[in-house]
Amino acid sequence: MPVRIRGQLVREGRKTGITPGIFDTRTKKVYLIADNLSNANDVILTVAHEVAGHYGLRELLGGTYTDTMNSLYGGNLAVRLRANAKIKENKKLSKQTAVEEVLAEMA
C-alpha cells in the first residue's frame, strides 16, 4: 500500500489494525488490507463497500458530490443521526465523508 494511503488512514483517524479496506479518491483504486480480512465473506463485503459505496457514489455524483452530501445530511434525519455518530466516534471526519460512510454501509 502506498505511503500516501497509509497517511490517509492516519489523517482520517482510522485504526490500522481494524480497517479492512480503503478507497483512494485520487487514483480511484481500492486497497484491501489482508491482515484485517478474516475470510472470503469479509473480502466480498469490503469490496462491495469500497467499490459500490465510495467509488460508485463519487463517480455517480461527480461535481455535485459535496452539495449532495450536504443535502442528504440536512434533509434526512436517519442519515444525519448516523453521520453524527460517526463524527462523534472520529472527530477527523468531515460531514460529507461521514454521510458517504453511512451511504457506503447501506450499499
Side-chain angles (χ1 to χ4, degrees), residues 51-99:
V51 173
H54 294 296
Y55 172 78
L57 269 175
R58 288 175 178 267
E59 286 299 301
L60 179 69
L61 296 173
T64 67
Y65 170 83
T66 301
D67 288 343
T68 302
M69 295 299 109
N70 288 336
S71 179
L72 286 167
Y73 182 87
N76 187 308
L77 179 61
V79 169
R80 183 169 55 252
L81 292 174
R82 289 179 64 184
N84 286 343
K86 291 197 169 294
I87 293 167
K88 185 176 181 181
E89 184 180 297
N90 180 352
K91 304 278 188 239
K92 294 181 180 182
L93 282 183
S94 68
K95 178 173 59 176
Q96 295 80 20
T97 303
V99 170

Side-chain angles (χ1 to χ4, degrees), residues 20-66:
I22 188 167
F23 173 66
D24 180 357
T25 57
R26 186 184 303 169
T27 64
K28 299 180 183 178
K29 289 183 181 180
V30 170
Y31 293 92
L32 299 177
I33 303 170
D35 289 345
N36 300 338
L37 297 163
S38 302
N39 53 51
N41 194 54
D42 283 353
V43 173
I44 291 166
L45 291 174
T46 300
V47 168
H49 173 90
E50 299 298 335
V51 173
H54 294 296
Y55 172 78
L57 269 175
R58 288 175 178 267
E59 286 299 301
L60 179 69
L61 296 173
T64 67
Y65 170 83
T66 301

